[in-house]
Amino acid sequence: MDVEQIKTFLVVANTKSFTRAAESLHVVQSTITARIKMLEKQLGKELFTRDKRNVSLTPAGMSLLPYAERIYELSTEGMKVVQLEQNFHDQLTVGTTHVLWDYVLFDALNAFRQTRPAISLRMITEHSEILIRKMMDGLLDVAIVFYPVHHPNLELTPIIEDTFELVAPSTFEIPTTALTPDDIKALPYIHLSWGGSFTHWIQKTFGNHATFSLEVDHVSLLLKFLHSNKGVGFLPGTVAKKLIQNGELMRLPLVTEEAIPKRVIYLLQRKKNPNSENVIELTRSICSAFKMDE
């Protein structure tokens, strides 16, 4: 298998069309067909089923897909390292989630970039599961994730034990007593599932099949609906603290039978990293961002 065959396989799998794949790769359709046939011959398996209207992956193609994605990504990263421009001494790649980039780490990473202009800094936004896989594949130098992972080539460091806070806009009428789950049901509650133990807690507190009037999947939407509806919702403590400090939100007291769970935020790095000195400085900047929130 060569890189062009892998790339062609991925584009066909994504577009579900040999014609659209040819247009995307700027080659004639016969080239796409030849590359796929050569790849199938090498593997001894058909990768696509074809008819006049559709192209779909066979079971063998489905099995190959995640490995092909990783092979192509690794080859691309390798090329970037080799072709690193001369005005940069090093390149570091760091990944985490949207919420941490936007509300915790932006200032720290921007400061790191300003003080080390000779370091090319690449930032990746993904869910923890994907970031962990990228770390295992050697595609990231540092990742900040919400789940622990034990791997012989990775070093895991807990950064902080984060909380979840019930918050509302600063214009919200302050309750005279602590709220209960029944009170929340009666309010304009905007739900965002933070996963893991938080999801289990929500199910136990509100019922396994609880349906909320408004559910969102991104923190920016949660904040917009909180303000427009004068509603309430849960935010990680690391995010809530900054928004409370600048007067955008207020923390609401809440009483529940089972305490709101906490989650640990972890820093992942490779044990043997050729960029070790720069990685050390990068991780210091990251950890300092969380300590500022304590």
Side-chain angles (χ1 to χ4, degrees):
M1 291 185 290
D2 62 31
V3 175
E4 289 302 320
Q5 290 174 350
I6 291 294
K7 183 178 180 180
T8 301
F9 166 76
L10 291 172
V11 175
V12 174
N14 183 54
T15 61
K16 297 180 174 58
S17 166
F18 280 54
T19 302
R20 288 192 291 271
E23 293 172 353
S24 177
L25 296 175
H26 306 290
V27 297
V28 296
Q29 187 172 331
S30 59
T31 300
I32 300 295
T33 302
R35 288 176 182 173
I36 295 300
K37 284 184 176 179
M38 182 61 70
L39 185 57
E40 289 177 328
K41 183 178 179 180
Q42 291 173 355
L43 295 172
K45 297 278 188 179
E46 287 192 356
L47 301 174
F48 296 98
T49 57
R50 312 164 179 82
D51 58 36
K52 292 182 179 180
R53 293 186 177 181
N54 299 307
V55 173
S56 58
L57 287 167
T58 64
M62 290 293 294
S63 297
L64 176 64
L65 184 60
Y67 295 99
E69 291 172 340
R70 293 162 75 177
I71 290 169
Y72 184 69
E73 197 166 15
L74 281 168
S75 68
T76 303
E77 289 300 313
M79 291 294 292
K80 287 180 180 178
V81 171
V82 172
Q83 296 171 352
L84 190 65
E85 294 186 15
Q86 293 182 354
N87 56 322
F88 293 110
H89 297 162
D90 202 351
Q91 182 181 61
L92 297 180
T93 305
V94 54
T96 193
T97 61
H98 275 290
V99 68
L100 292 184
W101 279 139
D102 291 346
Y103 299 98
V104 180
L105 295 173
F106 177 82
D107 290 339
L109 270 293
N110 196 39
F112 176 89
R113 189 180 65 85
Q114 296 295 332
T115 57
R116 290 169 177 79
I119 305 299
S120 171
L121 194 61
R122 185 169 177 233
M123 302 181 186
I124 304 295
T125 305
E126 286 288 3
H127 295 296
S128 291
E129 295 90 342
I130 297 176
L131 293 170
I132 289 170
R133 192 187 75 186
K134 288 180 181 290
M135 284 295 305
M136 291 178 175
D137 289 339
L139 299 175
L140 299 178
D141 294 291
V142 176
I144 304 93
V145 299
F146 299 125
Y147 307 114
V149 58
H150 302 286
H151 189 275
N153 298 327
L154 300 180
E155 181 179 337
L156 180 73
T157 305
I159 301 177
I160 190 173
E161 187 177 49
D162 201 8
T163 60
F164 288 100
E165 304 286 351
L166 182 65
V167 297
S170 54
T171 55
F172 191 85
E173 185 177 347
I174 302 174
T176 56
T177 59
L179 298 176
T180 67
D182 287 337
D183 294 326
I184 292 177
K185 290 179 182 179
L187 292 169
Y189 170 66
I190 296 91
H191 180 66
L192 194 159
S193 177
W194 295 102
S197 58
F198 178 82
T199 296
H200 293 303
W201 177 81
I202 285 287
Q203 292 173 344
K204 194 165 186 179
T205 302
F206 294 95
N208 288 332
H209 304 290
T211 301
F212 304 106
S213 62
L214 186 57
E215 297 188 33
V216 297
D217 64 354
H218 198 283
V219 68
S220 63
L221 280 174
L222 174 62
L223 293 173
K224 286 182 180 180
F225 280 116
L226 285 179
H227 288 288
S228 64
N229 292 270
K230 294 185 178 180
V232 303
F234 288 96
L235 280 177
T238 50
V239 175
K241 286 176 184 177
K242 287 195 173 185
L243 296 173
I244 292 170
Q245 288 170 0
N246 64 24
E248 290 185 42
L249 297 177
M250 61 182 290
R251 182 185 292 105
L252 298 177
L254 177 66
V255 175
T256 59
E257 291 185 6
E258 184 173 330
I260 302 175
K262 298 180 180 181
R263 68 175 177 183
V264 178
I265 299 175
Y266 299 93
L267 187 143
L268 270 178
Q269 57 185 304
R270 286 182 276 160
K271 289 183 178 179
K272 295 181 180 179
N273 195 318
N275 310 314
S276 58
E277 183 177 342
N278 292 320
V279 168
I280 290 172
E281 292 303 315
L282 177 63
T283 57
R284 284 176 180 168
S285 298
I286 290 170
C287 291
S288 67
F290 285 97
K291 290 178 181 178
M292 289 172 63
D293 287 329
E294 292 180 349

